[in-house]
mmCIF file of all heavy atoms in Angstrom:
data_model
loop_
_atom_site.group_PDB
_atom_site.id
_atom_site.type_symbol
_atom_site.label_atom_id
_atom_site.label_comp_id
_atom_site.label_asym_id
_atom_site.label_seq_id
_atom_site.Cartn_x
_atom_site.Cartn_y
_atom_site.Cartn_z
ATOM 1 N N THR X 1438 -97.604 42.245 -44.017
ATOM 2 C CA THR X 1438 -96.492 41.487 -43.433
ATOM 3 C C THR X 1438 -95.705 40.778 -44.532
ATOM 4 O O THR X 1438 -94.473 40.743 -44.497
ATOM 5 C CB THR X 1438 -97.043 40.457 -42.427
ATOM 6 O OG1 THR X 1438 -97.830 41.170 -41.471
ATOM 7 C CG2 THR X 1438 -95.944 39.688 -41.741
ATOM 8 N N MET X 1457 -85.013 44.717 -35.940
ATOM 9 C CA MET X 1457 -86.405 44.467 -36.331
ATOM 10 C C MET X 1457 -87.295 45.182 -35.312
ATOM 11 O O MET X 1457 -87.731 44.608 -34.325
ATOM 12 C CB MET X 1457 -86.598 42.944 -36.319
ATOM 13 C CG MET X 1457 -87.838 42.444 -36.948
ATOM 14 S SD MET X 1457 -87.823 42.444 -38.747
ATOM 15 C CE MET X 1457 -89.595 42.334 -39.021
ATOM 16 N N ALA X 1458 -87.513 46.483 -35.573
ATOM 17 C CA ALA X 1458 -88.312 47.280 -34.628
ATOM 18 C C ALA X 1458 -89.780 47.348 -35.046
ATOM 19 O O ALA X 1458 -90.593 47.930 -34.336
ATOM 20 C CB ALA X 1458 -87.731 48.688 -34.528
ATOM 21 N N ALA X 1459 -90.118 46.782 -36.185
ATOM 22 C CA ALA X 1459 -91.502 46.861 -36.664
ATOM 23 C C ALA X 1459 -92.449 46.103 -35.746
ATOM 24 O O ALA X 1459 -92.086 45.078 -35.178
ATOM 25 C CB ALA X 1459 -91.591 46.295 -38.077
ATOM 26 N N VAL X 1461 -95.019 43.981 -36.250
ATOM 27 C CA VAL X 1461 -95.616 43.181 -37.317
ATOM 28 C C VAL X 1461 -96.985 42.680 -36.840
ATOM 29 O O VAL X 1461 -97.123 42.235 -35.698
ATOM 30 C CB VAL X 1461 -94.698 41.979 -37.642
ATOM 31 C CG1 VAL X 1461 -95.252 41.165 -38.796
ATOM 32 C CG2 VAL X 1461 -93.282 42.448 -37.951
ATOM 33 N N ALA X 1462 -97.979 42.757 -37.713
ATOM 34 C CA ALA X 1462 -99.302 42.215 -37.358
ATOM 35 C C ALA X 1462 -99.143 40.709 -37.148
ATOM 36 O O ALA X 1462 -98.545 40.028 -37.978
ATOM 37 C CB ALA X 1462 -100.295 42.488 -38.474
ATOM 38 N N ASP X 1463 -99.631 40.207 -36.021
ATOM 39 C CA ASP X 1463 -99.417 38.788 -35.726
ATOM 40 C C ASP X 1463 -100.422 37.876 -36.425
ATOM 41 O O ASP X 1463 -100.156 36.702 -36.616
ATOM 42 C CB ASP X 1463 -99.486 38.560 -34.214
ATOM 43 C CG ASP X 1463 -98.226 39.062 -33.532
ATOM 44 O OD1 ASP X 1463 -97.134 38.729 -34.017
ATOM 45 O OD2 ASP X 1463 -98.337 39.794 -32.526
ATOM 46 N N THR X 1486 -99.246 35.240 -39.059
ATOM 47 C CA THR X 1486 -98.395 35.733 -40.154
ATOM 48 C C THR X 1486 -97.026 35.056 -40.024
ATOM 49 O O THR X 1486 -96.684 34.566 -38.943
ATOM 50 C CB THR X 1486 -98.201 37.261 -40.032
ATOM 51 O OG1 THR X 1486 -97.712 37.537 -38.720
ATOM 52 C CG2 THR X 1486 -99.489 38.013 -40.280
ATOM 53 N N PRO X 1487 -96.241 35.044 -41.098
ATOM 54 C CA PRO X 1487 -94.903 34.453 -40.969
ATOM 55 C C PRO X 1487 -94.052 35.280 -40.000
ATOM 56 O O PRO X 1487 -94.161 36.504 -39.976
ATOM 57 C CB PRO X 1487 -94.335 34.540 -42.390
ATOM 58 C CG PRO X 1487 -95.171 35.530 -43.104
ATOM 59 C CD PRO X 1487 -96.522 35.531 -42.453
ATOM 60 N N ASP X 1488 -93.238 34.603 -39.209
ATOM 61 C CA ASP X 1488 -92.363 35.310 -38.264
ATOM 62 C C ASP X 1488 -91.064 35.681 -39.002
ATOM 63 O O ASP X 1488 -90.183 34.832 -39.202
ATOM 64 C CB ASP X 1488 -92.078 34.418 -37.052
ATOM 65 C CG ASP X 1488 -91.398 35.201 -35.939
ATOM 66 O OD1 ASP X 1488 -90.562 36.075 -36.242
ATOM 67 O OD2 ASP X 1488 -91.706 34.939 -34.758
ATOM 68 N N ILE X 1489 -90.970 36.953 -39.388
ATOM 69 C CA ILE X 1489 -89.845 37.411 -40.219
ATOM 70 C C ILE X 1489 -88.523 37.273 -39.458
ATOM 71 O O ILE X 1489 -87.527 36.775 -39.973
ATOM 72 C CB ILE X 1489 -90.046 38.890 -40.643
ATOM 73 C CG1 ILE X 1489 -91.397 39.061 -41.340
ATOM 74 C CG2 ILE X 1489 -88.911 39.352 -41.546
ATOM 75 C CD1 ILE X 1489 -91.811 40.515 -41.552
ATOM 76 N N LEU X 1490 -88.547 37.711 -38.210
ATOM 77 C CA LEU X 1490 -87.313 37.718 -37.419
ATOM 78 C C LEU X 1490 -86.809 36.294 -37.167
ATOM 79 O O LEU X 1490 -85.604 36.038 -37.201
ATOM 80 C CB LEU X 1490 -87.575 38.447 -36.094
ATOM 81 C CG LEU X 1490 -86.359 38.748 -35.223
ATOM 82 C CD1 LEU X 1490 -85.280 39.491 -35.987
ATOM 83 C CD2 LEU X 1490 -86.751 39.547 -33.993
ATOM 84 N N GLY X 1504 -83.953 42.216 -31.888
ATOM 85 C CA GLY X 1504 -85.415 42.207 -31.953
ATOM 86 C C GLY X 1504 -86.004 43.113 -30.891
ATOM 87 O O GLY X 1504 -85.299 43.571 -29.982
ATOM 88 N N PHE X 1505 -87.269 43.384 -31.022
ATOM 89 C CA PHE X 1505 -88.009 44.107 -29.997
ATOM 90 C C PHE X 1505 -89.031 43.146 -29.404
ATOM 91 O O PHE X 1505 -89.554 42.285 -30.108
ATOM 92 C CB PHE X 1505 -88.732 45.324 -30.593
ATOM 93 C CG PHE X 1505 -87.895 46.577 -30.529
ATOM 94 C CD1 PHE X 1505 -86.782 46.716 -31.343
ATOM 95 C CD2 PHE X 1505 -88.220 47.601 -29.645
ATOM 96 C CE1 PHE X 1505 -85.999 47.851 -31.278
ATOM 97 C CE2 PHE X 1505 -87.441 48.744 -29.574
ATOM 98 C CZ PHE X 1505 -86.331 48.874 -30.385
ATOM 99 N N ALA X 1506 -89.289 43.274 -28.123
ATOM 100 C CA ALA X 1506 -90.375 42.487 -27.519
ATOM 101 C C ALA X 1506 -91.375 43.479 -26.946
ATOM 102 O O ALA X 1506 -91.071 44.203 -26.004
ATOM 103 C CB ALA X 1506 -89.827 41.588 -26.428
ATOM 104 N N LEU X 1507 -92.503 43.535 -27.596
ATOM 105 C CA LEU X 1507 -93.546 44.461 -27.176
ATOM 106 C C LEU X 1507 -94.406 43.743 -26.158
ATOM 107 O O LEU X 1507 -95.067 42.760 -26.483
ATOM 108 C CB LEU X 1507 -94.369 44.793 -28.422
ATOM 109 C CG LEU X 1507 -95.025 46.144 -28.474
ATOM 110 C CD1 LEU X 1507 -93.996 47.238 -28.321
ATOM 111 C CD2 LEU X 1507 -95.733 46.294 -29.808
ATOM 112 N N GLU X 1508 -94.354 44.194 -24.905
ATOM 113 C CA GLU X 1508 -95.084 43.478 -23.860
ATOM 114 C C GLU X 1508 -95.959 44.448 -23.067
ATOM 115 O O GLU X 1508 -95.640 45.626 -22.947
ATOM 116 C CB GLU X 1508 -94.111 42.808 -22.871
ATOM 117 C CG GLU X 1508 -93.052 41.927 -23.502
ATOM 118 C CD GLU X 1508 -93.593 40.641 -24.088
ATOM 119 O OE1 GLU X 1508 -94.785 40.324 -23.894
ATOM 120 O OE2 GLU X 1508 -92.825 39.939 -24.771
ATOM 121 N N ARG X 1515 -90.242 36.346 -20.599
ATOM 122 C CA ARG X 1515 -90.936 36.172 -21.867
ATOM 123 C C ARG X 1515 -90.087 36.743 -23.016
ATOM 124 O O ARG X 1515 -89.954 36.127 -24.082
ATOM 125 C CB ARG X 1515 -92.275 36.918 -21.805
ATOM 126 C CG ARG X 1515 -93.390 36.238 -22.558
ATOM 127 C CD ARG X 1515 -94.682 36.996 -22.321
ATOM 128 N NE ARG X 1515 -95.152 37.609 -23.559
ATOM 129 C CZ ARG X 1515 -95.905 36.980 -24.442
ATOM 130 N NH1 ARG X 1515 -96.304 35.740 -24.232
ATOM 131 N NH2 ARG X 1515 -96.302 37.576 -25.538
ATOM 132 N N LYS X 1519 -88.135 34.877 -26.327
ATOM 133 C CA LYS X 1519 -88.180 35.300 -27.731
ATOM 134 C C LYS X 1519 -86.758 35.418 -28.292
ATOM 135 O O LYS X 1519 -86.501 35.042 -29.435
ATOM 136 C CB LYS X 1519 -88.892 36.656 -27.878
ATOM 137 C CG LYS X 1519 -90.398 36.561 -27.627
ATOM 138 C CD LYS X 1519 -91.081 37.920 -27.795
ATOM 139 C CE LYS X 1519 -92.528 37.836 -27.324
ATOM 140 N NZ LYS X 1519 -93.224 39.123 -27.375
ATOM 141 N N LYS X 1523 -85.668 33.114 -31.434
ATOM 142 C CA LYS X 1523 -85.400 33.773 -32.711
ATOM 143 C C LYS X 1523 -83.906 33.924 -32.989
ATOM 144 O O LYS X 1523 -83.517 34.543 -33.972
ATOM 145 C CB LYS X 1523 -86.110 35.128 -32.764
ATOM 146 C CG LYS X 1523 -87.635 34.981 -32.524
ATOM 147 C CD LYS X 1523 -88.429 36.231 -32.805
ATOM 148 C CE LYS X 1523 -89.869 36.047 -32.300
ATOM 149 N NZ LYS X 1523 -90.832 36.911 -32.957
HETATM 150 N N1 LIG I 384 -91.738 39.753 -35.455
HETATM 151 C C1 LIG I 384 -91.554 39.348 -36.768
HETATM 152 N N2 LIG I 384 -92.572 38.752 -37.444
HETATM 153 C C2 LIG I 384 -93.763 38.534 -36.854
HETATM 154 C C3 LIG I 384 -93.962 38.940 -35.521
HETATM 155 C C4 LIG I 384 -92.923 39.543 -34.860
HETATM 156 O O1 LIG I 384 -90.475 39.544 -37.313
HETATM 157 N N3 LIG I 384 -94.748 37.946 -37.539
HETATM 158 C C5 LIG I 384 -90.611 40.379 -34.746
HETATM 159 C C6 LIG I 384 -90.908 41.779 -34.232
HETATM 160 O O2 LIG I 384 -90.512 42.753 -35.174
HETATM 161 C C7 LIG I 384 -90.067 41.868 -32.980
HETATM 162 C C8 LIG I 384 -90.006 40.445 -32.476
HETATM 163 O O3 LIG I 384 -90.352 39.626 -33.586
HETATM 164 O O4 LIG I 384 -88.743 42.287 -33.240
HETATM 165 C C9 LIG I 384 -90.930 40.151 -31.332
HETATM 166 O O5 LIG I 384 -92.219 40.590 -31.639
HETATM 167 P P1 LIG I 384 -93.429 40.445 -30.618
HETATM 168 O O6 LIG I 384 -94.676 40.879 -31.266
HETATM 169 O O7 LIG I 384 -93.060 41.058 -29.301
HETATM 170 O O8 LIG I 384 -93.444 38.909 -30.334
HETATM 171 P P2 LIG I 384 -94.094 37.721 -31.079
HETATM 172 O O9 LIG I 384 -92.985 36.829 -31.491
HETATM 173 O O10 LIG I 384 -95.015 38.183 -32.137
HETATM 174 O O11 LIG I 384 -94.886 37.017 -29.894
HETATM 175 P P3 LIG I 384 -96.243 37.497 -29.159
HETATM 176 O O12 LIG I 384 -96.969 38.407 -30.075
HETATM 177 O O13 LIG I 384 -96.930 36.222 -28.892
HETATM 178 O O14 LIG I 384 -95.808 38.188 -27.895
#
Side-chain angles (χ1 to χ4, degrees):
T1438 305
M1457 192 76 198
V1461 183
D1463 285 312
T1486 54
D1488 191 323
I1489 305 169
L1490 189 53
F1505 268 71
L1507 209 57
E1508 307 290 352
R1515 215 175 114 86
K1519 289 181 189 176
K1523 304 190 190 203

